[in-house]
Structure formats: structure tokens, C-alpha cells
Amino acid sequence: MTEADTTNVRTTCPYCGVGCGVLARSGSPVAGDPAHPASQGRLCVKGTNLGETLGHGERLLKARVADRNVDLDEALDATADAIRQAIAEQGPESVAFYLSGQLLTEDYYVANKLAKGFVGTPHVDTNSRLCMSSAVAAHKRAFGADAVPACYDDLELADLLVLSGSNTAWNHPILYQRMKASARPGRRVVVIDPRQTATTELADLHLMLRPGSDSLLFNGLLVWLADQGLVDLDYLGRHCEGYPGALAAARRSAPDIATVAAGCDLPAADVECFYRWFGTTAKTVTAFSQGVNQSVAGTDKANAIINCHLATGRVGRPGASPFSLTGQPNAMGGREVGGLANTLAAHMDYECDADRDRVTRFWRAPALASGPGLKAVDLLEAVHRGDIKVIWIMATNPAVSLPDNARVRAALARCPTVIVSDCVARTDTTAFADILLPAAGWGEKDGTVTNSERCISRQRRFLPLPGDARPDWWLLAEVGKRLGHSAAFDYDGPAAIFREHAALSAFENQGRRVFNLAGLSRLSDADYDRMTPRQWPIRSAEQSAGQSRRLFADGRYCHPDGRARLVAIDTVPPGQQPDHARPLIVNTGRVRDQWHTMTRTARSPRLLQHRSEAFIEVHPVDAAGLGLVDGGLGSLENQGGRFLARVRVSAAQRPGEVFIPIHWNRQFASQALASELIAPVTDPVSGQPESKHGIASLRPFPASWHARLLTRHGRAQRWRADYWSRVPLAACDRWQVAGLDPVPWPEAAADWLGGAPQLVMADRARGLFRAARIEAGQLQAVLLVDSEASRLPDTDWLANCFGADPLSETQRRTLLACRDVAQEDIGPVVCSCFQVGQRQIEAAVAAGHRDVAALGRELRCGTNCGSCLPELKELLATSAELAP
């Protein structure tokens, strides 16, 4: 390594699509980069704790073929042989690639080029299909290109900020902080979400609409704008097509406010208030995310939003635009290179003969795929049918994330050759791999990512490559060479790949394609290394960074005639409707401190403090009717499977609806795969699954006993239970466990503890049993059992005892009491950044610190990323209600 060992490296966060700047170096905590335009020095709790995720534990460091460790060359030979054989026997379309928004643009580019240009298969899709493809399709229909018109500054400049289907406070925390910090008199925020979330704390108006009714709401807005004379007819006449048809379609479904209010299950006064604010506020931004996209009508919902902005001329203007908030750190970069199956490369499409010819000549491709490939859900169905013989999965976990999960797993089990490139050894997907390739992780590779506002930032290496891990582009290029295409894949580093990517974007680009990186196509390696964040398009090397802040401000769009399109939207109900057997609507989504399938975030103990178990959030009315209790276990079921998790009773839900998190999987829970409850229903335009709308029944899980088990990492599991949830901590694993049938605890304890216990406490009358195993003065395992889950003690102090060598006399004496009485019991952690617990906050409030600012001064909670601010306000409100 170079001076980067002792000097901070400017890089980019690997989590959400905000694209925050990070200062990092080996062996030190990370910090926010004040110079990065997206985040301006801020980091959320996930970014702040990136340093905790960088160890080599659980890493994939050696290649594997047929469950045996092999040299990397042997694994690459096996990969090339499998692809070559499938092409020879079944043709190029028997090979598929499934990519990820976690990849760098350079990785994505080489994968797309290899697959489409040299293997000759169109079957290249990405997990971005699951989060952003409806927004992509809507942009292309409206603007003629997948181009986001707005920039982050617009979120601060807007006088009306509409957040539709976006829990920004948890999913894009730094953008939420920018929105919050820009509050001013007269500025209003409308949140459109079926749930009350942390984001609604910012709202002047919360429209808690019926799930799936977004198109009706925005169709009604278009009608209202027209009827009130608030449509910009001059802008429409000069710059748009399709307004009469779009308005006619909107009138069919949403002729008046009363119809909209009834269909959305909203008070008519609230609907009218939203419409009035939108109609009379020139600076309006509508930011939308997965609540809009993940729908059988996601594309139509997005176009219904865009229609209203086009009708008022509010596109690409300061503080006025529709704004799709990207889910992943490089979903945008993947879209740029052609990572979606229905796109070709560099915003060029299969449907255009000139584009296919242009890409063929630029790549000198011998076998360019001739048409679009299969989208994610259809792709895995083709694997299940046997049409796909080889699938290469990179940096993603489809055995967890794709809907109809049991069928996805069956498809992977059937596939003759599953190749997985990953930096983690054990995931639900690597379990199906015939060939495992060790990939470089964050901090170990160089490249670029593009965030939600089209800003290209560098991810830079500041750690050495561990074991045989290599960058994904390098693995792909080596396979390309083995397939006989050495000249096409003879890259000496990521800078060369980026130059080629930029050159393709500019190749014979006469201005029709807004995605253009001509100004970066001749970067030297040194210039690439020094590259600062830039928004595209970048048409010349001399172009200043501020020239591409917004698109379409001049009213010229990317359709051949230069005009935008309003799209006629006929409202479509969700793909599944509740019935007698499955009366509840199931909504899914992220939680504050976790990311995707937890392969990175679960390595940080701090990030598991906020929500350590999967949960089912249910309205109090439903809980009472179903006999559920807060903190108990519930079983959410449909024909696809079962989601067994802790019940959280909350009025934040609408009655008849439940919310479950997407993150937990078979590495961390017995039965908590959200995707098992989601049917493979997709948007007919984008192919995006309806991941936020399932149907299910819910009943209590009648456990006869509950337990907490702490064991050292890696110890063989010799016990079984009907319910378990694993939390990896710094020195041990903590298991939450429950069972239906009684267990003879004294006799069974050795199986659970990995040997006979040295300390035992039992009270059969209360159903209480506690035991600990100690070996050579070190704590090996602790088991705490009770017939009531609410009586189980906190285990934070016990977890710290696993780091003692040897245990102190005080620790040993108080092990089964589960706490050192001399230490403060802080309660559940609320502020992950500064480890502030609920009991500390309650004590501070009782002592007179009765607002968020006072709590921040006293305890520091809420003063870093701000993600805990809504919960702090909730605790303050609860304390005020309880005050005499």
C-alpha cells in the first residue's frame, strides 16, 4: 500500500443512493467528507459504522469449485469452461448474468460487454430491477431517456416538498437531514405513505392513503389542476405531447375530489389541501422511491407524478421537479452501462438498429445479442424451466430478495452451473454455488459510482486485497480472455475501463443521448485518481462542475421531436387483494440501521441494537382481534410461506395492514424471509415485482418457553427450536429462541451450551432456567430460559463478559443475574451513534431536559446522523403524557 495507510482517502459510501463522501484509512474510524457535494460532511449511522464491517471474519478468501477450495486460476478456468460448454450445447442464451447495484460502474461495464457483446446473451439483469426499473421506464416514457432532471439542492430550494412512497428519514437519512435543515417559514412538506414513519415527523400534511392508490391521487391532481386553470398551457404547447389523452384518462378514474378521497381512503379536506398547495406553489419537488416503484403499476404511478409536473412546467427548474430517489449506491451507474436486460449500453437500446450497429462497431463485438433479455423474475423462471444452464450472480443475494422465494431456491438448485462472485463466504445464495469466486469488498477496490442526482464519485482503495479476492472487473476480464477475447478485455486497471465507458457514451452521439461523458473519455490514470464528484452530462473536459446540475430546464427533451410525453394513466389495483383466508395486506421495507440482506451491516454490533430481530408491525385493533401481544411472537402466513417474528403493536399502521422488514434471512432467522410472502407479480412495463404488497393471515405463535442463548462465534449448533433469531456481536452470537413443546432443561442444557454447565439456576414453578459454561476461566456459553418472554433479562453485560480472559470474580458471581449491579442499565439503545439508551433518555427528561436540543446537549443523542430524532420526540411525547 501507499501513503493511504496513514492518510485519509476520499471515497464513497457503499450503502444507499445518496452517495455520501467518506474519509477513510486502514485501521481508523471513517468520517464524512466535508468536500463531497451530496453529503457535505454528514454520514448516517450505517456510514459512521463502516469501520466495524471491514474485518476478514466471514469473508470469502479462496475460490471454491464443487465445495472444495481451489486456486483462483482453476476456478476461472472452470467458469470459462462452463460458459463455453453451455454455448456449444445450447447456444449463448443458455447463459445468464445477474448483477447488482453494489457493483462499481467499471465492474458493471465489463460484465455487460462480456455478456452481450462476446458471450452473445441478452440475459443480463440486475437487482436494480427490484428497486428502480419502474422509475427508469417512466423516465423513458416521459422524457425519452432515463434521466433524472433534479439535483439535491432542489430538495432544499422547494417551497413544497412532496415525499411519495419514501421513508426518507430511514432510507436516505442524509437527504432527510438536508430537508430538515432547510426548513423555513412558509415551506411545507407533504408525506404520502400508508404508514406513519420517522419521515412523517417532518410533514405538515400526512396522506395515509390506501396502498396502491397513488395513481388515483395524482390523476385526481391533474384533473384538479386543469379544472382550476392552473395548468401551464403555454409550456404544454411548446414542449409536450399527450396532454389531452392524459387528462381524459385521469377524468375517467378521478373526476372529482370525492371520488379520489373515497378511493384513497382519505379525508376529502386533506386531498383538497394537498391539491391546493401543489397548484399554488411554483417551487414544488415530488420525490418518490420504493413505495411508488415496487408495484404492479409502478411505472404508471411514476408517470402520474411526472404528468403533474409537466402540466405545470415544473421540470428541471430550481426547486421544481419530479425526483426519483435511487435505492442502491450504483443503481444509476448500472443503468448507464446497460445493466438492465431491456437496455443495450450507454443509454442505447436494442430497438434501435443504429444503436446495435454502433455498439457492435465500438466493441468490435463478434456476437452482439440481437434483442432484449429476460428481466429478473422471468430470468429465474427460465432457470427453473431449465432454459438457463449457467447463471453468474455477482454481489447480490437473489435467494433472499426475489419474490416467490421457494421457487427461486428451487431454480438455483436445479441449475447445472451456478457461479457466484461475492466477498462473503456464507449467504443464502452462496449455498447454491457450484463455483465461488472471491471478490474484493468496499475499501479494497477502485472505481466509480453514480448517485441519485447523476453525480459520479470515486470509490478508492485504502485496504490491501485479502487472500485471493480480486475486483469483479478483473474476474470478468480473466474469463473473457479464457473465452478467446484477450484483446477486448486487456485492461490494466479501472481507469482504462472508465475511459472506454465514457468513450462509448460519446461515440457518434450527436446530442440525442443526454448521457454523455465525452469530457472524461481521455482522462489520464492520474486524472482518474484525482477525479472529484461530477454530474453528467459532461460533454467537454473544460465543462465546469456546476453546468449539469439540472436537465430539461430549456424544455427540450430526448424524444426525437424534442418534446416530453404526458402518459395516459388508467388506474390499476394491486396484483393481489385480501380475502377471507388472507385478510391482511403485507407491506415490506427497510429499517433504519440495516441494509439489504445484512451481509455487511450485521457485522457491526452497533447496527443490530436498534432492531435486533425481525418483526411484524400491526395495528392495535388487529392485534386485539387476533389475540396478539406486543413483544410476543406472531406467524404471518400465505401460500408462499411463513414469516415468524416478534410482534410490534403500533398505531403507525393502518388497520388491516402489517409491515415487515426485508433484511432477515436464513443466516439470521429461522423463518423471516419477507420475499416468501410476495407473489411474482410484476409491472407489465418495467418488470419490477410488487414487493410492497402481499396478502397473508396472522396468528399468535403459542410458544411454551422463550430463551436467550449466548455462544462463542462458530460453535456448532446442536440444538433445534421452532423459532430462532441470531445476532452476531463482537465476541459472541446472541440467539433469541422459542419453542412449542416443553424441553427438559437440566438434561438438555449440555446440547445447548456445548458441554456441561458449571453454573445453574432453576425455578420449575416459574418456568425459569439459567446456566453457564466456563472453560479455563473464559465464558463459553450462557442459556437463559423463561416461560414468559417479557421476563428475560437484557444480555449486553453478559455479551461483554465473553471478552474477559479470565472472568473476574465479580463477573463470575453475577453471571446468572445477567448484570453488574454497579453498572448503569441504559435500556434499549435509541441513538446508535453515541450508544444512548432509552432509560438514560427517560432519566434526562425527568431531570428537566424536555426537548430534543436539551437531550442532545446532555447525552449527545440526535446530534450526529439525526436518524433517532423521531424516536427521541416520541419518547418526549410519552414522557409528557405520563407527567403529573
Side-chain angles (χ1 to χ4, degrees), residues 572-884:
V572 176
Q576 298 183 93
Q577 295 297 323
D579 53 32
H580 178 73
R582 297 159 298 179
L584 297 174
I585 292 173
V586 180
N587 185 5
T588 73
R590 288 193 244 158
V591 299
R592 190 187 79 188
D593 293 359
Q594 291 305 318
W595 176 254
H596 281 197
T597 61
M598 300 169 64
T599 52
R600 178 183 287 116
T601 45
R603 301 177 72 192
S604 169
R606 288 174 185 257
L607 297 181
L608 285 159
Q609 293 172 326
H610 181 241
R611 296 284 188 271
S612 63
E613 286 180 275
F615 59 88
I616 304 166
E617 197 167 272
V618 56
H619 191 274
V621 170
D622 294 323
L626 295 168
L628 297 162
V629 296
D630 190 54
L633 291 170
S635 182
L636 194 62
E637 302 172 11
N638 64 19
Q639 72 279 9
R642 177 165 81 155
F643 189 93
L644 181 58
R646 198 70 60 186
V647 172
R648 294 178 63 90
V649 178
S650 172
Q653 290 296 125
R654 287 166 45 99
E657 300 167 16
V658 298
F659 175 83
I660 58 176
I662 63 170
H663 311 288
W664 276 263
N665 53 74
R666 294 186 181 178
Q667 308 307 310
F668 302 101
S670 51
Q671 289 183 288
L673 277 169
S675 55
E676 283 198 342
L677 302 183
I678 301 301
V681 181
T682 60
D683 181 300
V685 180
S686 69
Q688 181 159 351
E690 190 167 55
S691 298
K692 293 187 75 65
H693 194 103
I695 54 175
S697 62
L698 178 60
R699 60 185 175 87
F701 180 77
S704 66
W705 57 270
H706 303 263
R708 289 179 182 164
L709 172 69
L710 283 76
T711 64
R712 290 200 171 271
H713 293 309
R715 190 174 67 78
Q717 183 179 327
R718 290 164 34 192
W719 49 269
R720 292 189 178 183
D722 299 294
Y723 168 82
W724 59 263
S725 180
R726 181 176 72 93
V727 180
L729 301 175
C732 65
D733 285 331
R734 184 181 72 216
W735 306 77
Q736 309 273 48
V737 191
L740 295 171
D741 299 323
V743 175
W745 285 114
E747 297 80 7
D751 287 338
W752 288 72
L753 296 168
Q758 282 69 51
L759 300 175
V760 175
M761 180 173 71
D763 184 341
R764 290 183 183 276
R766 292 182 57 201
L768 180 149
F769 178 80
R770 296 183 183 181
R773 186 168 75 86
I774 301 167
E775 197 173 273
Q778 287 187 304
L779 184 59
Q780 300 298 314
V782 180
L783 176 64
L784 313 170
V785 184
D786 206 304
S787 58
E788 297 290 337
S790 60
R791 293 201 302 245
L792 288 169
D794 292 336
T795 56
D796 290 346
W797 177 80
L798 276 176
N800 290 332
C801 290
F802 279 81
D805 183 17
L807 287 166
S808 70
E809 182 57 34
T810 299
Q811 288 174 320
R812 188 181 182 107
R813 188 172 60 248
T814 56
L815 271 179
L816 297 188
C818 304
R819 63 182 294 257
D820 182 346
V821 295
Q823 286 189 352
E824 179 187 14
D825 180 6
I826 68 170
V829 171
V830 175
C831 175
S832 298
C833 294
F834 296 115
Q835 297 295 285
V836 182
Q838 181 175 329
R839 292 191 181 98
Q840 290 174 297
I841 296 165
E842 291 168 344
V845 173
H849 304 283
R850 299 183 185 276
D851 58 48
V852 168
L855 288 173
R857 288 191 296 270
E858 177 69 12
L859 301 172
R860 300 181 70 194
C861 53
T863 61
N864 185 40
C865 77
S867 297
C868 65
L869 287 172
E871 289 171 86
L872 293 178
K873 291 187 176 182
E874 186 177 341
L875 285 170
L876 285 164
T878 302
S879 298
E881 291 172 4
L882 296 176

Side-chain angles (χ1 to χ4, degrees), residues 359-559:
V359 174
T360 298
R361 287 185 287 110
F362 183 87
W363 279 345
R364 299 180 182 177
L368 189 77
S370 59
L374 296 172
K375 299 166 185 173
V377 172
D378 292 336
L379 177 62
L380 268 293
E381 186 59 29
V383 174
H384 194 279
R385 285 196 307 269
D387 296 345
I388 303 294
K389 303 300 183 184
V390 176
I391 184 168
W392 190 343
I393 300 166
M394 305 181 71
T396 188
N397 202 357
V400 176
S401 56
L402 281 170
D404 196 7
N405 195 263
R407 192 165 182 86
V408 172
R409 290 169 182 265
L412 294 174
R414 289 182 177 193
C415 188
T417 305
V418 176
I419 305 157
V420 178
S421 304
D422 210 316
C423 58
V424 178
R426 187 178 176 185
T427 72
D428 287 28
T429 299
T430 60
F432 294 97
D434 300 287
I435 301 171
L436 269 173
L437 299 175
W442 182 79
E444 299 163 358
K445 57 183 180 178
D446 277 296
T448 57
V449 293
T450 308
N451 71 4
S452 295
E453 62 168 352
R454 297 173 283 104
C455 183
I456 300 171
S457 299
R458 289 278 279 109
Q459 269 196 22
R460 292 182 172 91
R461 178 182 170 191
F462 59 92
L463 296 171
L465 288 169
D468 287 342
R470 296 292 183 272
D472 292 281
W473 69 262
W474 187 92
L475 297 170
L476 288 155
E478 287 299 306
V479 171
K481 294 173 185 176
R482 284 165 168 79
L483 290 173
H485 310 296
S486 293
F489 295 96
D490 189 23
Y491 301 112
D492 60 6
I497 302 168
F498 185 84
R499 284 191 291 270
E500 185 176 312
H501 164 58
L504 177 57
S505 76
F507 186 56
E508 298 180 358
N509 187 347
Q510 307 305 319
R512 184 178 67 87
R513 302 194 309 276
V514 68
F515 175 64
N516 189 333
L517 303 180
L520 302 178
S521 62
R522 297 181 182 276
L523 283 180
S524 68
D525 286 8
D527 288 337
Y528 175 81
D529 190 53
R530 290 190 297 263
M531 189 169 73
T532 56
R534 299 284 299 276
Q535 283 179 286
W536 60 259
I538 305 168
R539 296 186 176 91
S540 70
E542 295 75 29
Q543 181 174 313
S544 68
Q547 284 184 257
S548 300
R549 298 295 287 158
R550 298 173 184 87
L551 298 178
F552 313 132
D554 59 358
R556 179 148 187 88
Y557 293 89
C558 297
H559 287 293

Side-chain angles (χ1 to χ4, degrees), residues 188 224-225 230 275-284 314:
R188 298 186 178 111
W224 189 89
L225 292 168
L230 295 173
Y275 288 179
R276 186 173 64 254
W277 287 357
F278 190 104
T280 58
T281 309
K283 288 187 173 183
T284 296
R314 300 172 189 166

Side-chain angles (χ1 to χ4, degrees), residues 19 23 55 59 77 134 153 174 196 507 520 546 565 624 690:
L23 298 176
R59 285 294 304 272
D77 288 344
S134 289
D153 289 354
I174 300 309
Q196 182 179 334
F507 186 56
L520 302 178
R565 303 289 190 267
E690 190 167 55

Side-chain angles (χ1 to χ4, degrees), residues 80-143:
D81 288 345
I83 293 172
R84 187 183 297 109
Q85 181 178 349
I87 294 171
E89 295 179 358
Q90 304 289 333
E93 293 199 21
S94 66
V95 179
F97 291 71
Y98 189 62
L99 311 176
S100 166
Q102 303 295 121
L103 293 172
L104 303 184
T105 298
E106 291 76 4
D107 304 323
Y108 248 132
Y109 180 86
V110 178
N112 195 55
K113 177 181 176 181
L114 174 64
K116 293 176 181 174
F118 292 81
V119 171
T121 179
H123 303 316
V124 182
D125 211 35
T126 165
N127 63 6
S128 298
R129 178 71 57 191
L130 313 185
C131 64
M132 298 312 303
S133 55
S134 289
V136 171
H139 290 156
K140 293 181 77 170
R141 291 204 301 190
F143 307 140

